[in-house]
Short mmCIF file of all heavy atoms in Angstrom, two decimals:
data_model
loop_
_atom_site.label_atom_id
_atom_site.label_comp_id
_atom_site.label_asym_id
_atom_site.label_seq_id
_atom_site.Cartn_x
_atom_site.Cartn_y
_atom_site.Cartn_z
N ASN A 215 195.22 118.44 118.85
CA ASN A 215 196.46 119.22 118.86
C ASN A 215 196.97 119.54 117.45
O ASN A 215 198.10 120.00 117.29
CB ASN A 215 197.55 118.50 119.66
CG ASN A 215 198.08 117.24 118.98
OD1 ASN A 215 197.62 116.87 117.90
ND2 ASN A 215 199.03 116.58 119.61
N ALA A 216 196.14 119.28 116.44
CA ALA A 216 196.58 119.46 115.05
C ALA A 216 197.05 120.89 114.78
O ALA A 216 198.06 121.11 114.11
CB ALA A 216 195.45 119.08 114.09
N ALA A 217 196.34 121.87 115.30
CA ALA A 217 196.71 123.27 115.05
C ALA A 217 198.07 123.58 115.67
O ALA A 217 198.90 124.28 115.07
CB ALA A 217 195.64 124.20 115.61
N GLU A 218 198.32 123.05 116.87
CA GLU A 218 199.60 123.29 117.55
C GLU A 218 200.76 122.66 116.77
O GLU A 218 201.81 123.30 116.55
CB GLU A 218 199.54 122.71 118.96
CG GLU A 218 200.84 122.82 119.74
CD GLU A 218 200.76 122.06 121.06
OE1 GLU A 218 199.66 121.66 121.48
OE2 GLU A 218 201.84 121.87 121.68
N ILE A 219 200.59 121.41 116.35
CA ILE A 219 201.65 120.73 115.59
C ILE A 219 201.85 121.39 114.24
O ILE A 219 202.97 121.57 113.76
CB ILE A 219 201.32 119.23 115.41
CG1 ILE A 219 201.18 118.54 116.77
CG2 ILE A 219 202.38 118.55 114.56
CD1 ILE A 219 202.42 118.59 117.63
N GLU A 220 200.76 121.80 113.62
CA GLU A 220 200.85 122.48 112.32
C GLU A 220 201.66 123.76 112.44
O GLU A 220 202.49 124.07 111.56
CB GLU A 220 199.45 122.78 111.80
CG GLU A 220 199.44 123.43 110.42
CD GLU A 220 198.03 123.62 109.88
OE1 GLU A 220 197.19 122.71 110.07
OE2 GLU A 220 197.77 124.67 109.27
N ALA A 221 201.47 124.50 113.52
CA ALA A 221 202.23 125.74 113.72
C ALA A 221 203.72 125.46 113.88
O ALA A 221 204.56 126.26 113.45
CB ALA A 221 201.70 126.48 114.95
N THR A 222 204.04 124.31 114.48
CA THR A 222 205.45 123.94 114.65
C THR A 222 206.08 123.53 113.32
O THR A 222 207.23 123.89 113.03
CB THR A 222 205.56 122.77 115.65
OG1 THR A 222 205.03 123.18 116.91
CG2 THR A 222 207.00 122.33 115.82
N VAL A 223 205.33 122.79 112.53
CA VAL A 223 205.86 122.24 111.28
C VAL A 223 205.84 123.25 110.14
O VAL A 223 206.70 123.20 109.24
CB VAL A 223 205.08 120.96 110.90
CG1 VAL A 223 205.47 120.46 109.52
CG2 VAL A 223 205.31 119.87 111.95
N ARG A 224 204.90 124.18 110.16
CA ARG A 224 204.72 125.09 109.02
C ARG A 224 206.00 125.79 108.59
O ARG A 224 206.31 125.81 107.38
CB ARG A 224 203.64 126.13 109.35
CG ARG A 224 203.24 126.99 108.15
CD ARG A 224 202.22 128.05 108.52
NE ARG A 224 201.02 127.48 109.09
CZ ARG A 224 200.58 127.70 110.33
NH1 ARG A 224 201.26 128.50 111.14
NH2 ARG A 224 199.47 127.15 110.76
N PRO A 225 206.79 126.36 109.50
CA PRO A 225 208.03 127.02 109.04
C PRO A 225 209.02 126.04 108.42
O PRO A 225 209.80 126.43 107.54
CB PRO A 225 208.61 127.61 110.34
CG PRO A 225 207.47 127.67 111.30
CD PRO A 225 206.59 126.51 110.95
N LEU A 226 209.00 124.78 108.84
CA LEU A 226 209.92 123.78 108.32
C LEU A 226 209.59 123.39 106.89
O LEU A 226 210.46 122.97 106.13
CB LEU A 226 209.91 122.54 109.22
CG LEU A 226 210.23 122.77 110.70
CD1 LEU A 226 210.03 121.48 111.49
CD2 LEU A 226 211.64 123.30 110.87
N LEU A 227 208.30 123.53 106.52
CA LEU A 227 207.86 123.15 105.18
C LEU A 227 208.48 124.02 104.08
O LEU A 227 208.48 123.64 102.92
CB LEU A 227 206.34 123.24 105.08
CG LEU A 227 205.55 122.00 105.51
CD1 LEU A 227 204.07 122.32 105.57
CD2 LEU A 227 205.81 120.83 104.58
N ALA A 228 209.01 125.16 104.46
CA ALA A 228 209.67 126.00 103.46
C ALA A 228 210.91 125.32 102.91
O ALA A 228 211.32 125.60 101.77
CB ALA A 228 210.04 127.35 104.09
N ALA A 229 211.51 124.41 103.71
CA ALA A 229 212.78 123.81 103.30
C ALA A 229 212.69 122.31 103.05
O ALA A 229 213.58 121.75 102.42
CB ALA A 229 213.84 124.08 104.38
N GLU A 230 211.65 121.64 103.57
CA GLU A 230 211.61 120.18 103.43
C GLU A 230 210.18 119.66 103.42
O GLU A 230 209.27 120.29 103.95
CB GLU A 230 212.40 119.50 104.55
CG GLU A 230 211.99 119.89 105.96
CD GLU A 230 212.92 119.33 107.01
OE1 GLU A 230 213.49 118.24 106.81
OE2 GLU A 230 213.08 119.97 108.07
N ALA A 231 210.02 118.49 102.80
CA ALA A 231 208.73 117.82 102.74
C ALA A 231 208.53 116.96 103.99
O ALA A 231 209.50 116.56 104.65
CB ALA A 231 208.64 116.96 101.48
N PHE A 232 207.28 116.63 104.28
CA PHE A 232 206.95 115.82 105.46
C PHE A 232 206.09 114.62 105.06
O PHE A 232 205.36 114.65 104.07
CB PHE A 232 206.22 116.66 106.51
CG PHE A 232 207.14 117.42 107.42
CD1 PHE A 232 207.84 118.52 106.96
CD2 PHE A 232 207.34 117.01 108.73
CE1 PHE A 232 208.71 119.22 107.79
CE2 PHE A 232 208.21 117.69 109.57
CZ PHE A 232 208.90 118.80 109.09
N LEU A 233 206.22 113.59 105.86
CA LEU A 233 205.44 112.37 105.71
C LEU A 233 204.46 112.28 106.88
O LEU A 233 204.83 112.54 108.03
CB LEU A 233 206.38 111.15 105.73
CG LEU A 233 205.77 109.76 105.95
CD1 LEU A 233 204.97 109.35 104.73
CD2 LEU A 233 206.86 108.74 106.24
N VAL A 234 203.22 111.91 106.58
CA VAL A 234 202.20 111.71 107.62
C VAL A 234 201.68 110.28 107.50
O VAL A 234 201.28 109.84 106.41
CB VAL A 234 201.04 112.72 107.49
CG1 VAL A 234 200.09 112.58 108.68
CG2 VAL A 234 201.56 114.15 107.38
N GLN A 235 201.70 109.55 108.61
CA GLN A 235 201.21 108.17 108.64
C GLN A 235 200.28 108.00 109.83
O GLN A 235 200.45 108.66 110.86
CB GLN A 235 202.38 107.19 108.78
CG GLN A 235 203.33 107.17 107.61
CD GLN A 235 204.51 106.23 107.83
OE1 GLN A 235 205.14 106.26 108.88
NE2 GLN A 235 204.80 105.40 106.86
N PRO A 236 199.29 107.12 109.73
CA PRO A 236 198.42 106.88 110.89
C PRO A 236 199.23 106.33 112.06
O PRO A 236 200.19 105.56 111.86
CB PRO A 236 197.42 105.85 110.38
CG PRO A 236 198.13 105.16 109.25
CD PRO A 236 198.98 106.22 108.61
N PHE A 237 198.86 106.71 113.25
CA PHE A 237 199.53 106.18 114.44
C PHE A 237 199.14 104.71 114.60
O PHE A 237 197.95 104.37 114.54
CB PHE A 237 199.11 106.97 115.68
CG PHE A 237 199.76 106.48 116.94
CD1 PHE A 237 201.09 106.75 117.19
CD2 PHE A 237 199.03 105.74 117.86
CE1 PHE A 237 201.69 106.29 118.36
CE2 PHE A 237 199.62 105.27 119.02
CZ PHE A 237 200.96 105.55 119.27
N VAL A 238 200.15 103.86 114.77
CA VAL A 238 199.92 102.43 114.90
C VAL A 238 199.95 102.07 116.39
O VAL A 238 201.02 102.12 117.01
CB VAL A 238 200.98 101.62 114.13
CG1 VAL A 238 200.72 100.13 114.28
CG2 VAL A 238 201.00 102.03 112.66
N PRO A 239 198.81 101.72 117.00
CA PRO A 239 198.77 101.47 118.44
C PRO A 239 199.75 100.40 118.92
O PRO A 239 200.24 100.45 120.05
CB PRO A 239 197.32 101.04 118.68
CG PRO A 239 196.55 101.67 117.57
CD PRO A 239 197.47 101.63 116.40
N ALA A 240 200.05 99.43 118.06
CA ALA A 240 200.95 98.35 118.47
C ALA A 240 202.33 98.86 118.85
O ALA A 240 203.06 98.18 119.59
CB ALA A 240 201.06 97.31 117.34
N ILE A 241 202.71 100.03 118.36
CA ILE A 241 204.00 100.62 118.74
C ILE A 241 204.07 100.78 120.25
O ILE A 241 205.13 100.60 120.86
CB ILE A 241 204.17 101.99 118.05
CG1 ILE A 241 204.46 101.81 116.56
CG2 ILE A 241 205.26 102.80 118.72
CD1 ILE A 241 205.88 101.37 116.25
N MET A 242 202.95 101.12 120.88
CA MET A 242 202.92 101.37 122.32
C MET A 242 202.88 100.08 123.13
O MET A 242 203.28 100.06 124.29
CB MET A 242 201.71 102.24 122.69
CG MET A 242 201.69 103.58 121.98
SD MET A 242 202.91 104.73 122.60
CE MET A 242 202.20 105.19 124.19
N THR A 243 202.40 98.99 122.53
CA THR A 243 202.20 97.76 123.29
C THR A 243 203.26 96.70 123.00
O THR A 243 203.80 96.08 123.91
CB THR A 243 200.81 97.18 123.01
OG1 THR A 243 200.65 97.00 121.59
CG2 THR A 243 199.72 98.12 123.51
N GLN A 244 203.57 96.47 121.71
CA GLN A 244 204.55 95.43 121.39
C GLN A 244 205.81 95.96 120.72
O GLN A 244 206.79 95.23 120.59
CB GLN A 244 203.92 94.36 120.50
CG GLN A 244 203.60 94.80 119.08
CD GLN A 244 202.90 93.71 118.30
OE1 GLN A 244 201.93 93.12 118.76
NE2 GLN A 244 203.38 93.43 117.10
N GLY A 245 205.80 97.22 120.31
CA GLY A 245 207.00 97.82 119.75
C GLY A 245 207.10 97.67 118.24
O GLY A 245 206.11 97.42 117.55
N GLU A 246 208.31 97.84 117.75
CA GLU A 246 208.61 97.79 116.32
C GLU A 246 209.72 96.76 116.11
O GLU A 246 210.70 96.74 116.84
CB GLU A 246 209.07 99.17 115.85
CG GLU A 246 209.49 99.26 114.40
CD GLU A 246 209.95 100.67 114.04
OE1 GLU A 246 209.10 101.58 114.02
OE2 GLU A 246 211.16 100.86 113.82
N ASP A 247 209.55 95.91 115.12
CA ASP A 247 210.53 94.84 114.87
C ASP A 247 211.42 95.21 113.69
O ASP A 247 210.93 95.63 112.64
CB ASP A 247 209.81 93.52 114.59
CG ASP A 247 209.02 93.03 115.79
OD1 ASP A 247 209.37 93.42 116.92
OD2 ASP A 247 208.05 92.27 115.60
N SER A 248 212.73 95.03 113.89
CA SER A 248 213.71 95.32 112.85
C SER A 248 214.37 94.03 112.42
O SER A 248 214.96 93.32 113.25
CB SER A 248 214.76 96.31 113.37
OG SER A 248 214.21 97.59 113.57
N LEU A 249 214.30 93.73 111.12
CA LEU A 249 214.90 92.53 110.57
C LEU A 249 216.08 92.93 109.68
O LEU A 249 215.94 93.78 108.80
CB LEU A 249 213.88 91.74 109.75
CG LEU A 249 212.87 90.88 110.53
CD1 LEU A 249 211.90 91.73 111.33
CD2 LEU A 249 212.10 89.97 109.58
N MET A 250 217.24 92.33 109.94
CA MET A 250 218.44 92.62 109.18
C MET A 250 218.59 91.62 108.04
O MET A 250 218.41 90.41 108.24
CB MET A 250 219.66 92.56 110.08
CG MET A 250 219.97 93.87 110.82
SD MET A 250 218.60 94.69 111.69
CE MET A 250 218.42 93.69 113.17
#
């Protein structure tokens, strides 16, 4: 789906930068932990 997402993001790049990170599978199974 890279081409589809790229088409969505491309117009936004005119005004802002984007971050790309590998998808972490643990997000789907154990979640994300927040420490205060």
Side-chain angles (χ1 to χ4, degrees):
N215 70 359
E218 177 187 347
I219 300 300
E220 182 175 320
T222 300
V223 172
R224 189 183 302 118
L226 304 174
L227 273 171
E230 55 188 328
F232 275 73
L233 165 70
V234 187
Q235 295 177 312
F237 180 75
V238 180
I241 287 284
M242 301 288 286
T243 55
Q244 69 184 49
E246 177 181 291
D247 296 336
S248 291
L249 282 67
M250 274 49 77

